[in-house]
Amino acid sequence: MNRPDTQALGGTVNTRIGKVYMHLSKSHRKTADYVLSNVFRSATMSIDELANAVGISVATANRFARALGFDGYPQFRSELVYGFEAMLAPIDNLRNEVQRAATSTEVIARSLNEDISNLETTRRALVPEMCNQAVKMITNAERIYIVGYGASAFLGGLMAHGLEPFCKTIQCTIGSGGPSHVARQLFKYTERDLVIGITFPRYAEDVITLLQQVREKGVPILGLTDAPRSPLASIANLTLFAQTTRQLSPNSEGAALCLIEAICSAVAHQSKSPVHAASEMTKFMLPWMYQEPQASVRKPSISADEPAKDATKHLA
């Protein structure tokens, strides 16, 4: 059975509230009004947090859920969350983690272990043919545009920085003026160019929309995302995956960045005259690079009798 769209004011929760609203007590109506006005926020809340936000007791919040026909608050929240799972998962993970007693050192170590696990999983999942094809797509492209928003915009900027010495023309969405301006640029792209899309949970709608438009124009797309279930995977001509799971935040940007840097290394290795390109770019960038001041040249020391010689010359 298909469940109602809960993003439309809570789906079945909204329907249930509508059916019983006139029969609810004053405190329950107050709770219903809050939920209907703050569907997403309510979906993120524990029963204690909802009770505090509305100004009711925990027992009243539980009775409110029962008044709507649910067995209790857990079932009510489960129904409210439906459709928001991917967006709320990091919040639930964060709530669970902060309730665990741990020192800062333990949290840091656990975080590093998460990235080590992510990187190992990402490395094991590499497919040689796909890696080779991804590098060829980059080295053969006349122009490259890297599309990413949110944290992925910064990842795209770092990727552009890493590829710059080895690519003819490369741009990214950082400082681009927004999706509509990017669309104006991508409108000019052809099958000889390449668009690299980067998005990780929680996936950015603008990335998907732009790449769908690009795909219709026949522009090749290389995707960087977390798993085959990502909406980017069904759009891109080729997709490379990085596992980015983390307990205290939505994603591990570190794991994604490591994959990006690995791709840049492979491009550098396969590009034509990479040493010459890197050398020439470094030479051009020298005025903006800090250099240690040259040691001041010391003047030859003057012996004790030299001033007397100079004086003799003047007398002569």
Side-chain angles (χ1 to χ4, degrees):
M1 181 178 68
N2 294 329
R3 300 173 72 178
D5 181 7
T6 58
Q7 295 191 37
L9 288 180
T12 58
V13 172
N14 178 58
T15 301
R16 293 190 186 207
I17 289 176
K19 288 181 178 180
V20 301
Y21 187 84
M22 298 305 297
H23 305 287
L24 294 175
S25 66
K26 183 178 179 180
S27 59
H28 287 175
R29 285 190 187 183
K30 183 180 179 182
T31 308
D33 291 339
Y34 181 88
V35 170
L36 293 176
S37 300
N38 304 273
V39 179
F40 180 79
R41 185 177 180 185
S42 299
T44 70
M45 292 178 168
S46 65
I47 189 170
D48 303 84
E49 291 168 336
L50 179 66
N52 289 334
V54 179
I56 57 175
S57 67
V58 170
T60 300
N62 209 30
R63 285 194 294 270
F64 167 73
R66 292 199 183 98
L68 299 183
F70 296 106
D71 293 336
Y73 188 84
Q75 186 186 8
F76 161 75
R77 184 174 181 269
S78 176
E79 189 67 33
L80 201 60
V81 163
Y82 181 74
F84 293 130
E85 292 94 338
M87 289 176 278
L88 292 178
I91 299 173
D92 288 336
N93 288 340
L94 177 61
R95 178 184 288 111
N96 293 333
E97 285 296 312
V98 298
Q99 290 175 349
R100 295 172 55 183
T103 66
S104 295
T105 302
E106 290 171 337
V107 173
I108 291 171
R110 190 159 59 236
S111 178
L112 291 173
N113 285 333
E114 285 177 337
D115 273 336
I116 291 171
S117 176
N118 283 332
L119 289 173
E120 182 59 29
T121 300
T122 299
R123 186 188 63 80
R124 289 198 304 266
L126 291 175
V127 179
E129 294 78 8
M130 296 179 69
C131 293
N132 292 334
Q133 187 179 346
V135 171
K136 287 181 180 179
M137 291 173 75
I138 293 172
T139 56
N140 293 339
E142 291 188 4
R143 296 176 295 181
I144 298 175
Y145 206 114
I146 305 175
V147 178
Y149 288 99
S152 293
F154 297 100
L155 292 173
L158 290 170
M159 188 173 195
H161 177 79
L163 293 176
E164 189 72 53
F166 316 108
C167 299
K168 298 174 184 177
T169 302
I170 187 162
Q171 295 176 274
C172 65
T173 49
I174 286 185
S176 64
S180 62
H181 181 74
V182 174
R184 292 168 65 92
Q185 301 300 312
L186 295 181
F187 174 76
K188 307 170 189 176
Y189 274 49
T190 70
E191 67 279 358
R192 297 188 300 274
D193 304 313
L194 174 67
V195 174
I196 301 176
I198 305 176
T199 189
F200 292 90
R202 298 161 278 192
Y203 310 109
E205 185 70 30
D206 286 335
V207 173
I208 305 305
T209 301
L210 284 166
L211 295 188
Q212 286 173 334
Q213 294 293 98
V214 166
R215 181 66 184 265
E216 291 180 6
K217 284 177 55 61
V219 180
I221 299 172
L222 172 61
L224 301 181
T225 189
D226 66 312
R229 65 178 177 275
S230 166
L232 177 56
S234 63
I235 301 173
N237 300 88
L238 177 71
T239 307
L240 297 182
F241 302 104
Q243 178 167 297
T244 60
T245 57
R246 187 180 284 282
Q247 293 301 310
L248 288 174
S249 61
N251 288 295
S252 165
E253 271 69 53
L257 178 58
C258 283
L259 175 62
I260 286 171
E261 290 184 334
I263 293 170
C264 292
S265 295
V267 169
H269 185 268
Q270 296 297 321
S271 64
K272 297 178 181 178
S273 305
V275 176
H276 176 74
S279 176
E280 288 300 304
M281 175 168 283
T282 301
K283 180 181 177 182
F284 186 81
M285 294 295 296
L286 276 177
W288 293 274
M289 295 182 180
Y290 176 78
Q291 301 174 55
E292 289 288 344
Q294 292 184 350
S296 58
V297 180
R298 293 185 177 181
K299 295 181 180 180
S301 59
I302 302 175
S303 60
D305 61 337
E306 284 182 345
K309 293 179 181 178
D310 291 339
T312 305
K313 291 178 181 179
H314 289 299
L315 290 174

